[in-house]
């Protein structure tokens, strides 16, 4: 119905009613007005009371197992009061174990109930959103007796044992509630009546006080069994009475089963009078009662389905009754009253229609101005409708406002997520920097300890001081062990950060196995174990990472020897499938074995089978975790089969050729290349170093190729498009556009994507030292034999040779000096790069070799590499880098920037590069 039609109908009806039913209207006005008012107020008040209960439920639920601090009740949580554990990653980590570690559950299971308050009291007294429960109670499941209970001391009544005479759950079947909780492991919410005896002083007669609480009962679960009941409650009388006071009224909670008992034990006459009115409402089954004699009005307000508990709202309407009586006695002339009534009706209609319309227009204007404080007006009254023009307009405005607020929330959340991501990245970078610095700081003193202990051990052996040999040997072995722990921690960090890089090479698997078996003989002898090999299949040559494979095998044999005493440890190899694409290495021991639970958590970092294993056998629990993750990075797996008391078998499965997939891709691409004869074929060399270009050009011309070259990546791509060479050699380290970017552009170009590209570079982590201009690279701690071998590559004889040691750590310098003196070398020392440069400038005879550390004060090894280039007489001195530093990408970039020629050590490989191009094109021709 349109508004104008509605307005006309209302005016006409109002006039007819006013004219013809005046007398009846006055007679029925009071009752109708009162009933209408009371019905509307009852609905409004009941809705408000229900919302009060819902607010109390929210507060209670926050402290329950489904609330904000749910981890407090988790049986697996060993630190229930650590609320920071309410994180997703934490609960994901808990899924791997069902062991009960929560001290609350353990105390209940062990009957130590007095200890529970240590956890419950701080938990329930710590506010959530500014609120705490009024009480908590935990009951035994056997007889529902209290294990622990505490209530707010400000409560007039307390539900805890010793302070209450009776606790009554307001429900028809109390036993069924608890049995259902046990069966379904779910919670129940309802009301509780509490009966207390209250005595203000010993001279006054005691009163019986009844209190009412909103409660939630939930199960406390451990190992999927209910071990106790928890009850959390909030006293509701004060909230209800506070609301009633805002209405200038009084409220009384009434529970029908206890009403008679309250009447008998209450000494307060006003309260007793209200209880009698409440009983009268029950008896006549009415919701309202007006006592005109006393001027009191009572409204019964129900909470919901349970009508045994309700609120009676008492209001003083004596003034209202007097006014009504006065109006009845002073009735104005009938016509005047009709006119006034008609005017009031018309005015009400106008206000009901045009005022909401004006508010709707104002709201629309505010929304267009992005006013976030806007509240869309609610249309009230008898004439309000959601289907007329104004109702539909207000509904559309509400929907638009809700959508706008949701979009604002999404924008806010997006900003917060972006900020959290940046913080996580910063934290990860800080962690990587810390580990790199830690590596250097720990390895430097370890270098000195291991080296000096080794020297002293050799000295006392030569001097036949055997009493000193064993302690020095212990120091040496302990330092080596500490170094291996540091390396394990760094490996774990690299794996987690995804920074592990594999160095694939071709080697004989048997060589690695023989090397590991030889190195592990002493480990086996320590526990009187027999170390055997069982070569089922001869694997032969494989393409894999030699260092990582050796690390995996050594970790597994070391683990087997540690947990086996006077038994056997057997290493066997075999193919894993009929195609012989993968192979297996199995390490079998006859040690202590493991249970299924121990196997389940075996490969977690810093974890062993259990705490007793750690105490007896020691270790950090990193070896197996690293081995498993390295196996997966290498394209394989690590599995274990174990039986407690019998032994364990660890099986490593890896591909024979880690480059198979890449080679297949290369072969497919090669098939698409246009086949060219070798003679008169053109090779494009892209390299910024002219010396490298000259060497490669000479080698390739001897093979019959025509050569063109480019000094940077951009020119190289242009020349490739112009000349369409048969093959391209590409350097990686170039200014402006590096080799990786050039390669990407070549492969994106449809004309150039099938041209073979040969990388000619020395970039890898080990060769970073070479990029400095170094002649060799040794990681700390320095091994005497390794250093001897490196020096042997530069000197046919050590006699009359001079070595300059640049190292800031005095102990490391002492150790290196002792090694050099033992090798019959003359030694000079410098504490840092600056003093090393000063020494080289001032000396008449330059040293034959420089041993250089990277991390030093005043001038570090990086800067020294720059400065020594400026000294003409020192340009050709071989440099051996000795460092404990793990180079990060920033250090790597800094090193590359200061390189004179990337072929400082790689120029000897020009033959290999030309041979590779020759072989490739020969294959194309055939």
């Amino acid at each position: 119905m349109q508004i104008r039609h509605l307005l006309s109908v209302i005016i006409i009806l109002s006039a007819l009613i006013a004219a013809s039913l005046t007398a009846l209207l006055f007679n029925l006005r009071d009752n109708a007005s009162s009933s209408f008012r009371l019905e509307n107020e009852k609905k409004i008040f009941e809705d408000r009371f229900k919302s009060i209960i819902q607010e109390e439920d929210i507060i209670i639920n926050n402290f329950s197992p489904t609330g904000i601090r749910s981890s407090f009740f988790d049986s697996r949580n060993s630190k229930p009061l650590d609320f920071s554990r309410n994180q997703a990653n934490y609960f994901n980590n808990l899924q791997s174990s069902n062991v009960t570690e929560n001290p609350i559950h353990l105390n209940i299971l062990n009957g130590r109930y007095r200890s529970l308050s240590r956890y419950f009291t701080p938990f329930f007294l710590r506010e959530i959103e500014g609120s705490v429960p009024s009480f908590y109670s935990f009951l035994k499941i056997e007889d529902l007796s209290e294990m622990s209970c505490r209530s707010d001391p400000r409560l007039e009544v307390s539900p805890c044992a010793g302070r209450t005479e009776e606790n009554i759950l307001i429900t028809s079947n109390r036993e069924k509630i608890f049995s259902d909780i046990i069966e379904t492991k779910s919670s129940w919410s309802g009301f509780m009546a509490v009966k207390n005896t209250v005595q203000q002083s010993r001279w006054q007669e005691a009163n019986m006080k009844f209190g009412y609480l909103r409660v939630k009962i939930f199960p406390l679960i451990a190992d999927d069994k209910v071990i106790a009941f928890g009850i959390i409650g909030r006293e509701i009388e004060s909230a209800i009475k506070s609301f009633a006071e805002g209405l200038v009224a009084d409220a009384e909670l009434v529970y029908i089963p206890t009403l008679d008992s309250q009447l008998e034990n209450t000494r307060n006459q006003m309260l007793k009078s209200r209880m009698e009115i409440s009983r009268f409402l029950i008896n006549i089954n009415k919701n309202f009662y007006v006592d005109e004699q006393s001027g009191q009005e009572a409204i019964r307000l129900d909470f919901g389905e349970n009508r045994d508990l309700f609120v009676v709202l008492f209001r003083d309407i004596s003034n209202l009754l007097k006014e009504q009586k006065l109006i009845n006695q002073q009735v104005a002339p009938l016509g005047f009253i009709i006119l006034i009534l008609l005017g009031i009706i018309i005015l009400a209609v106008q206000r009901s229609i045009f005022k909401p319309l004006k508010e709707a227009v104002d709201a629309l204007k505010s929304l267009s101005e992005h006013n976030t404080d806007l509240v869309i007006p609610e249309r009230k009254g008898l004439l309000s409708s959601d289907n007329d023009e104004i109702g539909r307009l207000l509904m559309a405005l509400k929907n638009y406002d809700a959508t706008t607020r949701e979009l604002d929330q999404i924008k806010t959340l997006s900003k917060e997520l972006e900020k959290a991501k940046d913080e996580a990245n910063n934290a990860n970078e800080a962690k990587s920097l810390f580990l790199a610095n830690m590596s250097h700081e720990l390895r430097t003193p370890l270098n000195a300890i291991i080296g000096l202990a080794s020297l002293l051990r050799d000295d006392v052996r030569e001097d036949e001081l055997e009493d000193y040999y064993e302690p020095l040997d212990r120091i040496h072995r302990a330092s080596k062990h500490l170094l291996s722990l540091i390396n394990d921690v760094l490996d774990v960090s690299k794996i987690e950060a995804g920074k592990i890089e594999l160095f694939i090479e071709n080697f004989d698997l048997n060589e690695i196995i023989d090397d590991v078996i030889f190195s592990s003989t002493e480990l086996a002898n320590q526990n009187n174990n027999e170390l055997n090999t069982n070569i089922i299949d001869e694997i032969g040559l494989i393409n894999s990472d030699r260092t990582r494979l050796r690390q995996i095998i050594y970790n597994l044999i070391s683990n087997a020897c540690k947990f086996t005493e006077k038994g056997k440890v057997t290493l066997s190899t075999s193919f894993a499938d009929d195609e012989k694409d993968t192979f297996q290495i199995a390490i079998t021991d006859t040690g202590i074995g493991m249970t299924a639970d121990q196997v389940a958590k075996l490969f977690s970092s810093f974890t062993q089978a259990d705490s007793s294993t750690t105490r007896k056998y020691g270790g950090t629990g990193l070896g197996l975790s690293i081995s498993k993750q390295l196996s997966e990075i290498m394209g394989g797996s690590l599995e274990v089969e174990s039986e407690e008391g019998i032994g364990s078998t660890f099986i490593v499965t890896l591909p024979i050729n880690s480059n198979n997939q890449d080679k297949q891709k290369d072969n497919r691409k090669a098939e698409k290349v246009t086949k060219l004869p070798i003679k008169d074929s053109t090779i494009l060399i892209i390299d910024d170093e002219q010396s490298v270009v000259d060497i490669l050009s000479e080698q390739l011309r001897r093979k019959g190729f025509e050569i063109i070259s480019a000094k940077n990546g951009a020119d190289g791509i242009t020349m490739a498009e112009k000349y369409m060479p048969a093959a391209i050699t590409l350097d990686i380290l170039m200014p402006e556009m590096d080799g990786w970017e050039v390669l990407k552009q070549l492969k994106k170009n449809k004309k150039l994507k099938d041209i073979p590209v040969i990388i000619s570079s020395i970039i890898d982590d080990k060769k970073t030292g070479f990029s400095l201009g170094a002649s060799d690279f040794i990681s700390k701690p320095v091994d005497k034999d390794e250093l001897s071998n490196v020096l042997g590559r530069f000197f046919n004889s050590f006699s009359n040779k001079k070595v300059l040691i640049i190292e800031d750590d005095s102990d490391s310098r002492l150790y290196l000096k002792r090694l050099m003196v033992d090798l019959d070398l003359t030694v000079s020392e410098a504490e840092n790069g600056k003093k090393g440069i000063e020494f080289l400038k001032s000396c008449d005879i330059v040293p034959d070799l420089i041993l250089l550390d990277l991390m030093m004060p005043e001038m570090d090894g990086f800067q020294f590499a720059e400065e020594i280039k400026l000294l003409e007489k020192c340009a050709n001195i071989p440099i051996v880098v000795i460092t404990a530093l793990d180079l990060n990408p920033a250090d790597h970039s800094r090193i590359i920037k200061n390189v004179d020629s990337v072929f400082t050590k790689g120029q000897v490989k020009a033959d290999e590069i030309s041979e590779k191009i020759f072989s490739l094109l020969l294959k194309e021709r055939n």
Side-chain angles (χ1 to χ4, degrees):
M1 181 180 291
Q2 299 299 316
I3 292 179
R4 62 181 183 273
H5 299 152
L6 179 63
L7 183 61
S8 301
V9 171
I10 291 175
I11 293 173
I12 293 171
L13 290 177
S14 299
L16 292 174
I17 292 172
S20 60
L21 301 176
T22 302
L24 182 62
L25 179 63
F26 276 97
N27 291 330
L28 300 177
R29 179 183 58 83
D30 293 340
N31 292 334
S33 175
S34 178
S35 297
F36 179 80
R37 176 180 57 81
L38 292 173
E39 285 291 346
N40 279 278
E41 289 180 346
K42 172 179 169 62
K43 185 178 183 305
I44 293 171
F45 296 159
E46 282 183 345
D47 290 341
R48 178 52 187 153
F49 284 136
K50 289 176 183 177
S51 68
I52 291 173
I53 299 304
Q54 290 174 357
E55 292 170 0
E56 299 299 324
D57 284 343
I58 291 172
I59 295 172
I60 293 172
N61 189 63
N62 283 340
F63 291 85
S64 73
T66 58
I68 296 174
R69 300 177 185 166
S70 59
S71 67
F72 179 82
F73 299 95
D74 195 309
S75 62
R76 301 164 294 175
N77 185 1
S78 61
K79 297 180 179 180
L81 292 177
D82 184 3
F83 302 129
S84 65
R85 294 191 170 204
N86 278 319
Q87 303 292 332
N89 286 340
Y90 172 73
F91 284 111
N92 287 338
N93 293 335
L94 286 180
Q95 300 305 316
S96 62
S97 172
N98 289 322
V99 178
T100 299
E101 297 182 3
N102 195 315
I104 298 171
H105 297 67
L106 294 175
N107 284 331
I108 292 175
L109 291 173
N110 295 322
R112 296 192 294 267
Y113 305 133
R114 292 187 178 181
S115 301
L116 296 177
S117 60
R118 292 174 51 198
Y119 302 92
F120 291 143
T121 300
F123 174 78
F124 289 105
L125 288 184
R126 183 167 179 176
E127 294 182 350
I128 297 179
E129 299 177 354
S131 301
V132 296
S134 298
F135 92 104
Y136 69 82
S137 178
F138 287 82
L139 311 178
K140 300 178 183 178
I141 60 172
E142 297 85 1
D143 55 2
L144 302 183
S145 60
E146 280 183 4
M147 294 184 293
S148 179
C149 182
R150 187 184 187 280
S151 63
D152 191 331
R154 294 171 295 183
L155 293 179
E156 293 184 1
V157 295
S158 171
C160 294
R163 298 180 60 189
T164 181
E165 294 185 11
E166 187 177 8
N167 290 339
I168 304 169
L169 287 181
I170 300 177
T171 179
S172 58
N173 193 334
R174 179 172 180 263
E175 290 73 21
K176 187 175 185 305
I177 288 174
F178 288 99
S179 62
D180 288 346
I181 291 174
I182 294 176
E183 181 178 351
T184 63
K185 297 184 179 64
S186 59
S187 60
W188 175 88
S189 294
F191 297 92
M192 175 187 286
V194 181
K195 179 181 178 182
N196 280 183
T197 300
V198 180
Q199 187 170 6
Q200 301 297 331
S201 66
R202 58 182 178 179
W203 296 282
Q204 295 179 342
E205 186 177 357
N207 283 339
M208 191 63 63
K209 178 66 177 177
F210 288 84
Y212 300 93
L213 302 102
R214 179 67 173 178
V215 298
K216 181 173 185 176
I217 305 175
F218 57 89
L220 203 60
I221 299 172
D223 295 332
D224 204 34
K225 295 181 181 179
V226 177
I227 62 172
F229 297 109
I231 306 177
I232 307 173
R234 286 272 299 180
E235 182 267 333
I236 60 174
E237 282 190 85
S238 58
I240 292 175
K241 290 187 176 181
S242 175
F243 174 74
E245 288 175 1
L247 302 174
V248 193
D250 294 321
E252 293 294 336
L253 276 162
V254 178
Y255 181 44
I256 295 175
T258 63
L259 183 57
D260 292 336
S261 176
Q262 285 182 272
L263 282 169
E264 292 174 4
N265 294 281
T266 299
R267 302 292 180 264
N268 188 312
Q269 293 302 317
M270 179 179 291
L271 180 59
K272 179 175 287 190
S273 173
R274 291 176 177 175
M275 293 295 103
E276 289 175 350
I277 293 175
S278 301
R279 184 163 62 179
F280 178 77
L281 288 173
I282 296 170
N283 293 337
I284 64 175
N285 196 24
K286 297 288 185 181
N287 293 324
F288 312 105
Y289 174 76
V290 177
D291 186 357
E292 296 184 359
Q293 185 175 359
S294 62
Q296 289 287 318
E297 179 186 72
I299 306 175
R300 171 175 172 166
L301 306 175
D302 294 307
F303 285 98
E305 296 179 358
N306 192 336
R307 291 181 59 84
D308 285 344
L309 179 66
F310 57 90
V311 174
V312 180
L313 197 66
F314 296 91
R315 292 195 298 181
D316 185 0
I317 59 169
S318 56
N319 292 334
L320 179 61
L321 292 175
K322 289 178 181 179
E323 289 178 3
Q324 290 178 348
K325 192 174 182 179
L326 184 61
I327 290 173
N328 290 333
Q329 292 175 354
Q330 299 176 353
V331 176
L334 182 59
F336 181 72
I337 293 176
I338 293 175
L339 291 175
I340 292 177
L341 181 60
L342 185 59
I344 291 173
I345 293 174
I346 294 174
L347 180 61
V349 170
Q350 295 294 332
R351 290 178 60 84
S352 175
I353 294 174
F354 294 107
K355 182 180 179 182
L357 183 60
K358 179 180 179 300
E359 292 175 344
V361 172
D362 293 340
L364 182 59
K365 181 180 178 182
S366 297
L367 286 174
S368 65
E369 295 172 352
H370 301 287
N371 183 2
T372 57
D373 298 329
L374 172 68
V375 178
I376 304 297
E378 293 286 344
R379 193 178 181 197
K380 299 179 181 180
L382 292 174
L383 301 179
S384 62
S385 173
D386 293 335
N387 297 321
D388 61 20
E389 291 86 344
I390 297 176
R392 291 197 296 271
L393 176 60
L394 290 174
M395 185 63 66
L397 290 175
K398 289 179 181 178
N399 293 336
Y400 178 77
D401 182 48
T403 302
T404 302
R405 293 179 187 273
E406 289 179 1
L407 290 175
D408 291 341
Q409 291 178 354
I410 292 173
K411 291 179 181 178
T412 302
L413 290 174
S414 299
K415 292 180 181 178
E416 292 176 354
L417 288 173
E418 190 68 28
K419 181 181 178 182
K421 177 184 176 183
D422 293 340
E423 291 175 351
N425 289 336
N426 292 337
N428 191 47
E429 291 177 3
K431 171 189 169 186
S432 299
L433 178 60
F434 166 75
L435 288 173
N437 292 335
M438 182 191 73
S439 167
H440 177 263
E441 295 301 325
L442 292 177
R443 284 176 176 170
T444 297
L446 273 178
N447 174 48
I449 295 171
I450 294 172
L452 293 175
S454 177
L455 288 175
L456 290 173
R457 186 179 61 176
D458 294 342
D459 288 347
V460 299
R461 175 60 60 86
E462 292 176 2
D463 296 338
E464 299 182 355
L465 300 173
E466 294 298 328
D467 291 342
Y468 296 100
Y469 181 83
E470 195 274 337
L472 289 171
D473 187 56
R474 285 193 180 187
I475 294 172
H476 186 263
R477 283 188 284 109
S479 301
K480 286 275 192 180
H481 177 65
L482 180 56
L483 179 63
S484 70
L485 296 182
I486 295 170
N487 291 335
D488 283 347
V489 172
L490 292 175
D491 279 344
V492 169
S493 173
K494 287 182 178 180
I495 290 171
E496 290 178 349
K499 295 183 178 179
I500 286 289
E501 294 184 6
L502 301 179
F503 302 94
I504 306 301
E505 56 184 318
N506 190 263
F507 59 90
D508 191 338
L509 177 62
N510 291 332
E511 292 181 4
I512 296 294
I513 292 176
D514 292 341
D515 181 31
V516 175
I517 292 297
F518 179 79
S519 303
S520 305
T521 302
E522 184 179 352
L523 287 174
N525 293 337
Q526 289 177 358
N527 285 348
N528 298 318
N529 291 321
E530 181 181 340
L531 186 58
N532 301 317
T533 58
N534 180 20
I535 307 303
I536 300 174
D537 295 320
E538 285 289 346
I539 308 300
L541 293 176
I542 64 172
N543 260 353
S544 191
D545 189 312
R546 178 195 299 264
T547 302
R548 295 303 180 184
L549 180 57
R550 186 187 189 282
Q551 181 180 0
I552 293 171
I553 299 173
Y554 185 80
N555 281 347
L556 296 179
I557 291 182
S558 174
N559 186 73
C561 291
K562 180 164 64 172
F563 294 102
T564 304
E565 295 184 5
K566 298 179 181 179
K568 293 183 179 180
V569 176
T570 304
L571 184 150
S572 60
T573 62
S574 62
F575 289 108
D577 50 32
D578 295 336
E579 290 78 12
K580 297 185 179 180
D581 291 333
T582 56
F583 67 94
Q584 290 183 338
I585 300 175
I587 313 296
T588 303
D589 65 66
T590 58
I592 60 175
M594 293 175 287
T595 64
D597 291 339
Q598 291 171 337
V599 170
K601 59 181 180 179
L602 183 64
F603 293 111
S604 300
S605 297
F606 305 101
T607 301
Q608 289 191 348
D610 54 37
S611 57
S612 61
T613 304
T614 305
R615 289 193 298 269
K616 181 176 180 180
Y617 296 97
T620 61
L622 287 175
L624 292 179
S625 173
I626 292 173
S627 298
K628 181 174 177 62
Q629 294 180 78
L630 287 177
S631 300
E632 293 171 351
I633 292 173
M634 294 168 68
S637 63
L638 174 58
E639 299 176 348
V640 61
E641 300 172 359
S642 184
E643 186 175 349
E644 189 175 14
I646 302 299
S648 305
T649 299
F650 290 84
I651 303 172
V652 183
T653 304
L654 293 171
I656 292 288
N657 191 344
S658 298
N659 287 331
N660 257 348
Q661 189 173 359
D662 294 336
K663 286 186 176 180
Q664 290 171 5
K665 293 180 181 177
D666 293 339
N667 290 338
R668 287 195 295 271
K669 291 180 180 179
E671 291 172 4
K672 301 177 182 178
V673 179
T674 303
K675 297 183 178 180
L676 300 172
I678 293 177
K679 186 176 181 181
D680 298 328
S681 295
T682 301
I683 304 299
L684 170 60
I685 302 174
I686 304 177
D687 200 306
D688 62 326
E689 290 293 334
Q690 187 59 44
S691 60
V692 176
V693 174
D694 294 341
I695 294 171
L696 282 176
S697 299
E698 180 63 27
Q699 294 288 341
L700 294 171
R701 286 193 183 98
R702 293 178 183 178
K703 300 292 183 181
F705 297 111
E706 293 183 3
I707 306 300
I708 56 175
S709 63
K711 291 188 176 182
N712 56 63
D715 292 346
I717 294 173
T718 302
M719 296 184 71
E721 292 178 338
K722 181 177 180 180
Y723 295 102
M724 292 299 295
I728 299 172
T729 70
L730 175 62
D731 183 26
I732 297 300
L733 306 176
M734 296 186 294
E736 298 182 8
M737 181 187 294
D738 63 21
W740 301 124
E741 183 62 28
V742 174
L743 183 60
K744 186 188 301 182
Q745 297 296 329
L746 289 173
K747 295 308 176 184
K748 284 184 178 179
N749 192 314
K750 293 182 178 180
K751 292 173 58 180
L752 307 177
K753 67 178 182 179
D754 294 326
I755 297 177
V757 178
I758 294 91
I759 301 296
S760 59
S761 179
I762 63 167
I763 295 182
D764 60 37
D765 287 345
K766 180 80 174 193
K767 296 177 183 175
T768 304
F770 296 149
S771 300
L772 272 169
S775 298
D776 216 319
F777 188 97
I778 300 176
S779 294
K780 292 182 179 179
V782 178
D783 183 76
K784 178 180 178 182
D785 295 333
E786 181 184 2
L787 181 59
S788 229
N789 291 335
V790 169
L791 296 179
R793 289 199 285 270
F794 303 108
F795 308 132
N796 292 327
S797 170
F798 294 155
S799 177
N800 298 323
K801 299 296 182 181
K802 301 177 183 59
V803 176
L804 171 61
I805 301 173
I806 304 177
E807 166 69 69
D808 63 317
D809 184 68
S810 59
D811 293 332
S812 296
R813 283 204 313 276
L814 174 61
Y815 170 56
L816 292 173
K817 182 177 180 180
R818 287 285 303 273
L819 289 180
M820 299 298 101
V821 172
D822 287 348
L823 295 173
D824 200 22
L825 293 168
T826 302
V827 178
S828 300
E829 302 178 47
E831 297 178 5
N832 53 60
K834 182 178 180 181
K835 292 188 177 181
I837 293 295
E838 292 174 354
F839 173 82
L840 292 173
K841 288 179 178 179
S842 62
C843 67
D844 296 328
I845 301 176
V846 297
D848 299 289
L849 181 75
I850 296 175
L851 299 182
L852 175 65
D853 185 23
L854 290 183
M855 297 301 291
M856 297 179 293
E858 295 193 43
M859 181 188 292
D860 58 22
F862 298 95
Q863 190 174 354
F864 177 85
E866 299 172 3
E867 295 290 334
I868 198 172
K869 291 180 186 179
L870 306 177
L871 302 179
E872 183 176 353
K873 65 179 181 179
C874 302
N876 296 320
I877 300 176
I879 300 174
V880 176
V881 175
I882 300 177
T883 183
L885 178 66
D886 278 351
L887 295 175
N888 58 35
D891 294 331
H892 188 279
S893 299
R894 183 180 174 193
I895 293 168
I896 299 306
K897 182 176 65 176
N898 297 307
V899 168
D900 288 327
S901 171
V902 297
F903 279 87
T904 302
K905 287 291 290 182
Q907 289 174 353
V908 294
K909 295 187 179 179
D911 255 347
E912 298 176 14
I913 297 172
S914 65
E915 287 293 342
K916 187 169 185 180
I917 297 173
F918 179 82
S919 300
L920 176 64
L921 295 183
L922 183 63
K923 182 179 178 182
E924 296 288 346
R925 186 183 68 178
N926 297 331

